[in-house]
Amino acid sequence: MTSEYFFLQLGPDYKKYSATFNDHGFTDVETICTMETKEDLLTMFPHESMPLGHRRKIEAAVKNLKTATSTKPYDNFSNNKEPCRGDEEIGSLSKIQGKQVDKLRELNDKLGKAVAAQKEIEKFIPLPEPEGPYKTQICSICHVRGHKSDGNKDRSHCMKEPCTSWEYCGRRDKHKPEVSRMKKEMEKEIKELNRDITEVKNEKEQMDIFAERSQSSFMHLMKLRLKAINPMKYSLCTNLLMRDLITLNIRTNY
């Protein structure tokens, strides 16, 4: 690509600069890519001889040209960091998908802990050793077998603290309200967690389908293909890329 073609891609008002480029040895893509852009432009075109807008546009075009020619032609599109609506959309979808994965992991962790806690309620707890002469009598205060809360044979009464949990005495029948409440709470929590997991899974499946369709959409795929086919052309002028994409989209829909 000659310097004349380079400036022609920028617009008819830029063609006049090609002669000065040629005079300084920047006659083609290879030499233009070796430019120290700002310094060389200032050398060839002092501030007064080139509008600032033209200077900035040429600097950007040279930068894009260097990017386009720095790798293999078919890899250029992957190195082009110019943001576009499609890329931003896919990036946003990826973030949403990542959050959904994190949410599923969090819910599954909670579900695992809830199931483990539910099993703890049913686990076997060894009964404490009997304390007293009675074989079957269970104290209504400490829930230990062998004596009564009051009126024992030696006229004594239980001196222990009242039992506060079946986990201490191992007798769920003595703590029915507590055990029943804990079971209901765990069942409710597990049910809610399973419901939340199902909802997040369904949302994730829908998002995955949507992301796959977005990734394979006409505009996104054709943008990558056009950049791969002619990276120099589309790196110099992004308006050309959008114009060609719109033209292709219109024609393929007829």
Side-chain angles (χ1 to χ4, degrees):
M1 182 174 67
T2 63
S3 62
E4 288 83 0
Y5 183 77
F6 172 80
F7 284 107
L8 186 61
Q9 296 295 318
L10 299 180
D13 293 340
Y14 292 81
K15 189 176 180 181
K16 59 187 177 183
Y17 301 124
S18 62
T20 305
F21 263 58
N22 290 335
D23 291 343
H24 286 80
F26 300 115
T27 58
D28 52 25
V29 171
E30 288 75 14
T31 52
I32 291 174
C33 286
T34 64
M35 288 181 62
E36 296 292 338
T37 313
K38 291 185 178 180
E39 293 81 355
D40 291 345
L41 278 178
L42 190 59
T43 299
M44 292 185 287
F45 305 98
H47 290 296
E48 299 79 10
S49 61
M50 177 182 286
L52 183 59
H54 285 196
R55 189 181 301 275
R56 292 289 181 263
K57 189 170 182 178
I58 293 173
E59 288 175 359
V62 173
K63 181 180 178 181
N64 288 337
L65 185 62
K66 289 180 179 180
T67 300
T69 57
S70 62
T71 58
K72 296 179 181 179
Y74 288 94
D75 293 334
N76 288 323
F77 65 87
S78 63
N79 293 322
N80 192 332
K81 301 302 181 182
E82 176 193 354
C84 71
R85 185 175 180 181
D87 295 335
E88 290 175 356
E89 179 182 344
I90 292 172
S92 299
L93 290 176
S94 298
K95 289 181 180 179
I96 294 173
Q97 288 173 298
K99 289 181 180 179
Q100 289 174 330
V101 171
D102 293 339
K103 185 65 176 178
L104 272 178
R105 187 182 297 112
E106 178 186 348
L107 289 172
N108 281 317
D109 288 343
K110 289 183 177 180
L111 179 61
K113 292 177 181 178
V115 171
Q118 187 182 45
K119 291 180 179 179
E120 283 291 310
I121 300 175
E122 303 296 337
K123 74 177 181 179
F124 172 75
I125 297 177
L127 298 177
E129 292 295 324
E131 296 180 9
Y134 301 109
K135 293 183 179 180
T136 59
Q137 186 70 47
I138 298 173
C139 178
S140 60
I141 294 179
C142 68
H143 298 165
V144 175
R145 183 165 57 89
H147 64 276
K148 298 184 290 184
S149 60
D150 197 8
N152 292 290
K153 289 183 178 181
D154 56 358
R155 297 182 180 180
S156 64
H157 60 273
C158 181
M159 301 297 292
K160 290 189 173 184
E161 293 290 332
C163 183
T164 57
S165 173
W166 60 271
E167 293 179 290
Y168 298 123
C169 68
R171 301 183 184 277
R172 293 178 179 82
D173 59 316
K174 297 294 184 181
H175 298 272
K176 287 183 179 180
E178 175 193 355
V179 174
S180 178
R181 176 181 56 79
M182 291 179 66
K183 284 184 176 181
K184 287 181 179 179
E185 288 178 354
M186 297 313 305
E187 288 171 357
K188 180 181 178 182
E189 182 178 355
I190 291 172
K191 183 178 179 181
E192 290 177 350
L193 285 170
N194 280 320
R195 182 195 62 202
D196 292 343
I197 288 172
T198 300
E199 288 180 359
V200 175
K201 280 184 176 179
N202 290 338
E203 290 175 0
K204 186 178 182 303
E205 288 176 2
Q206 294 174 1
M207 186 59 65
D208 290 344
I209 293 172
F210 180 74
E212 184 178 354
R213 289 176 179 174
S214 298
Q215 184 71 23
S216 60
S217 66
F218 175 85
M219 295 291 280
H220 179 73
L221 287 178
M222 289 309 301
K223 176 184 177 182
L224 299 181
R225 290 178 183 177
L226 288 176
K227 282 188 174 183
I229 292 170
N230 198 336
M232 295 183 187
K233 174 182 177 181
Y234 295 118
S235 66
L236 291 174
C237 186
T238 55
N239 290 336
L240 286 175
L241 175 60
M242 186 54 62
R243 185 192 66 188
D244 290 350
L245 283 171
I246 293 172
T247 302
L248 283 171
N249 195 26
I250 292 173
R251 291 185 178 180
T252 54
N253 287 330
Y254 278 113

